[in-house]
Amino acid sequence: MTITGQSLIGAMSVRGTHGAFHGINARTGETLEPAFGGATQSDLERASALAEAAFDTFRETPPETRAVFLETIGEQIMSIGDALIERCMAETGLPRARLEGERARTVGQLRLFAGVLRNGDFVDARIDPAQPDRKPMPRVDLRLRNVAIGPVAVFGASNFPLAFSVAGGDTASALAAGCPVIVKAHGAHPGTSELVGRAIQQAVRQCALPEGVFSLLFDSGLSIGQALVADARIKAVGFTGSRAGGVALMKIANAREEPVPVYAEMSSINPVVLLPGALGARGTAIAQQFAASLTLGAGQFCTNPGLVLAVDDESLRAFERAAGVALASAGASTMLTPGIHANYVKGVERLAEHADVEQLARGQAGGPFDAQAALFATTAQAFSADSALREEVFGPASLIVRCRDLDELHGMLKSLEGQLTVAVHLDHDDRAACRALLPTLERKAGRILANGFGTGVEVGHAMVHGGPFPATSDTRTTSVGSRAIERFLRPVSYQDLPDELLPQELRDGNPLVLARRIDGVMNRGENKNI
Ligand code: NAP
């Protein structure tokens, strides 16, 4: 498959004329061919009009049709073969094994949503049958199902160029819900984006779906992305990236005549709490696991452990030394973009120059855009006094906060903003201390882990990859796992509609054999009367 630098608008390939930009070789900083034409306002207009035109047909396709569509996208992605991995390696600096794993994860996510569609529970069908004889007033017949919210704009992430990008979790869950998707390609991996976009375009064709189900726009600045969020036909936005970017898009969506939800995943420092029993018993082993988690993927994981909280005693100091040794031998790896590398260097310098911060270790230096790991320590008092110490440094850097006692540690947790994950390392004797922290942990994070690290996000039914602001813009949702589909659905109630006018999911006799809640009680198709 050839990379052309064209936006994909429905079934067409269109060379944008609003400026141009190139992909960059992450390792060398060299320009990669071809140039990508920036989409124009009229390109956006065409993509939005097609999405709007496709919506009513697409949302009412049988779930099986959409399941096959998602599986076809997966097959098309696999059929690109090594060209996808090689282009992605060049654009992101990520190694082959990581990207092959990420491709499998991307296809796995698409299959997961195919399963969600076949299972049918996403419809959340509910029937409160009429009670004409109820006194003093008869009860109406009420039936509810979830419907797709409308065309969705997706902004992929730089750090997962496959699994959180053009055919990533946001796109898969929106398409599963029955929403056409317009992706604004991430500027850090445009060639990868085009290849995957063409795979989706081909799947649309192969499944004979309306062409407006999918479009991919390249933006030579920020204006097309912003206009996309402002477009009245877009009914929800999925975003993964920086806090500044997410908040900017939230503002645009809120300022619209009809405000729409922005599901943004942004910033998280993922605190790791080391309780005294665990630290005393196996501090060195935890330190080694911590260093491995911190440096994984050059620290460019949204669940990277950027903060460690522990009571200051000899066990903590031994942990610091062991983590320092492990990090000092950690090799440097290439960051996703020269810009992300420059921000990382700035963030590390800010910590290193802070009067109340002690530098404990630095990793190995490497090439011009390689991240050198960094470990720092400070006191709880200093951490409380300066909010800048709580800001995410995107990359393999972490800050240890030495606390006087468990009460002070608990106070530090209470003072934090929302997080994607919080990890607690505990032994049997630490359980009472952990129990005391749990209510705070639940208020702060989307996922609470014991004796592990947040890097490595399982894609399943019980996963929450979300959390209170600024981890995400909507604390009720997840962007990973089957519950991600809920972001792109809305409930509609039908009162007293004749059976033949009801959607199939709610008709008498349950023609789709769905699990339905009848008068609040789950019925798996056995009650044939309704
Ligand atoms: P980013 O700069 O926010 O970019 C994300 C996407 O949004 C890109 O497509 C970008 O366009 C677009 N964008 C950003 N600001 C915009 C604005 N004001 N108006 C319109 N569009 C805008 O983030 P990034 O560089 O990809 O990633 C680095 C940062 O993201 C790190 O700080 C990291 O913490 C965070 N991150 C968080 C998670 C998470 O799950 N929480 C995951 C990955 C990254 P361009 O392509 O044109 O720049």
Side-chain angles (χ1 to χ4, degrees), residues 251-430:
K251 282 189 181 147
I252 293 170
N254 279 329
R256 286 169 44 146
E257 199 171 313
E258 179 200 356
V260 291
V262 174
Y263 297 107
E265 266 202 62
M266 299 168 283
S267 166
S268 180
I269 53 175
N270 307 299
V272 176
V273 177
L274 305 176
L275 288 175
L279 206 43
R282 50 197 163 82
T284 302
I286 299 172
Q288 284 159 356
Q289 293 155 15
F290 162 72
S293 173
L294 182 66
T295 52
L296 195 68
Q300 301 165 119
F301 279 66
C302 33
T303 49
N304 198 48
L307 179 70
V308 178
L309 300 167
V311 174
D312 190 13
D313 60 12
E314 184 38 45
S315 298
L316 176 62
R317 299 300 172 124
F319 168 88
E320 291 177 359
R321 286 191 293 276
V325 169
L327 279 181
S329 61
S333 8
T334 307
M335 298 199 86
L336 293 158
T337 65
I340 286 177
H341 177 260
N343 277 340
Y344 174 69
V345 170
K346 237 185 274 164
V348 167
E349 270 169 13
R350 182 165 47 80
L351 287 171
E353 286 163 11
H354 197 289
D356 296 318
V357 172
E358 181 186 337
Q359 182 172 297
L360 298 178
R362 293 302 308 264
Q364 308 269 304
F369 305 115
D370 285 5
Q372 194 183 355
L375 183 61
F376 300 95
T378 191
T379 61
Q381 215 179 0
F383 189 71
S384 296
D386 187 354
S387 62
L389 292 179
R390 284 162 226 206
E391 281 168 24
E392 179 183 26
V393 177
F394 191 63
S398 193
L399 176 65
I400 297 173
V401 177
R402 298 167 178 153
C403 304
R404 206 175 40 242
D405 52 28
L406 284 172
D407 283 344
E408 187 169 57
L409 187 154
H410 199 163
M412 292 302 102
L413 280 170
K414 284 182 176 163
S415 75
L416 294 176
E417 298 182 293
Q419 305 291 334
L420 290 170
T421 70
V422 55
V424 184
H425 287 259
L426 73 159
D427 257 19
H428 193 272
D429 292 349
D430 295 317

Side-chain angles (χ1 to χ4, degrees), residues 158-159 184 186-187 226 239-242 245 248 265-266 302 392 394:
S158 56
N159 60 342
K184 202 295 278 177
H186 198 295
Q226 294 176 354
F239 170 93
T240 306
S242 65
E265 266 202 62
M266 299 168 283
C302 33
E392 179 183 26
F394 191 63

Side-chain angles (χ1 to χ4, degrees), residues 198-223:
R198 287 192 181 278
I200 302 179
Q201 198 182 45
Q202 176 59 27
V204 171
R205 210 173 291 135
Q206 202 168 313
C207 296
L209 292 168
E211 59 170 321
V213 161
F214 175 78
S215 289
L216 171 72
L217 301 175
F218 291 103
D219 190 358
S220 59
L222 299 177
S223 62

Side-chain angles (χ1 to χ4, degrees), residues 3-6 15 20-38 87-93 185-194 218-220 336-338:
I3 301 171
T4 63
Q6 293 169 314
R15 168 131 226 111
F21 69 99
H22 284 83
I24 303 287
N25 183 312
R27 226 167 269 284
T28 63
E30 285 163 11
T31 296
L32 293 166
E33 293 301 333
F36 287 79
R87 178 71 189 202
C88 199
M89 284 168 68
E91 288 183 332
T92 64
H186 198 295
H189 52 266
T192 306
S193 297
E194 184 184 330
F218 291 103
D219 190 358
S220 59
L336 293 158
T337 65

